[in-house]
Amino acid sequence: NYSTLSQSYYTLLTNLTDIGFEYTGGSYSQDGGTHTVTGHMTLGVGSASVGTYNLSGTGLLTVTGPDSNDPYRDVTVGLWGQGMFVQEGDSQFNISGSLVLSGEDTSYGKYEMKGGTLTTNFIQIGRSGNGDFVQTGGEVNVNQIQDP
């Protein structure tokens, strides 16, 4: 099963945003409007899952966390499965805590920064599995990066 959600206008407020569960896939495409997550966001939650988020245009995404189960994981791209985050255009992504690319040993997480602005306190690349951060444009504001 594969599901898609698209947002171009208005405001979406969620406590959790999880995309891609056990043996499923999903994508969220945001090219405008505001999406605010007050808990955590995870792409590729379960094993054999795929989760993708495309942030472009004038889209604004804010994750305020922290995740109550793991204060170091506000946004995880690839928890047990595969996660992909693509950012471009004039979009803005604000994370109050941390961005983790690949949370567990079976996972893969990739962030493609093509444009826009990413602001976060901490980026961890490959926490337990494999992760990649590829920047070909845009601006990244971060206090600390860990790439084991």
Side-chain angles (χ1 to χ4, degrees):
N1 295 335
Y2 195 89
S3 301
T4 302
L5 176 66
S6 297
Q7 179 184 2
S8 295
Y9 306 100
Y10 309 113
T11 299
L12 176 64
L13 176 64
T14 62
N15 182 36
L16 307 174
T17 298
D18 292 335
I19 302 170
F21 281 77
E22 295 289 329
Y23 306 102
T24 66
S27 66
Y28 192 121
S29 295
Q30 180 185 0
D31 62 9
T34 301
H35 180 191
T36 302
V37 183
T38 59
H40 72 262
M41 183 171 80
T42 307
L43 309 178
V45 179
S47 60
S49 66
V50 177
T52 303
Y53 200 110
N54 295 296
L55 180 63
S56 63
T58 59
L60 170 61
L61 172 60
T62 302
V63 179
T64 60
D67 181 304
S68 59
N69 296 318
D70 184 349
Y72 301 104
R73 178 179 65 89
D74 295 318
V75 176
T76 302
V77 180
L79 177 58
W80 290 99
Q82 293 185 14
M84 166 75 90
F85 195 104
V86 179
Q87 183 174 358
E88 54 193 330
D90 292 324
S91 61
Q92 295 181 39
F93 188 8
N94 302 310
I95 306 167
S96 64
S98 62
L99 168 64
V100 175
L101 304 178
S102 182
E104 301 299 334
D105 59 356
T106 60
S107 66
Y108 175 71
K110 184 174 185 179
Y111 198 108
E112 289 187 9
M113 183 69 177
K114 299 177 179 181
T117 303
L118 168 64
T119 302
T120 185
N121 186 45
F122 181 72
I123 298 174
Q124 187 175 38
I125 303 169
R127 182 177 189 182
S128 293
N130 295 311
D132 291 307
F133 188 99
V134 179
Q135 183 176 8
T136 57
E139 178 180 335
V140 178
N141 302 304
V142 61
N143 291 328
Q144 181 181 0
I145 297 176
Q146 182 181 16
D147 187 4

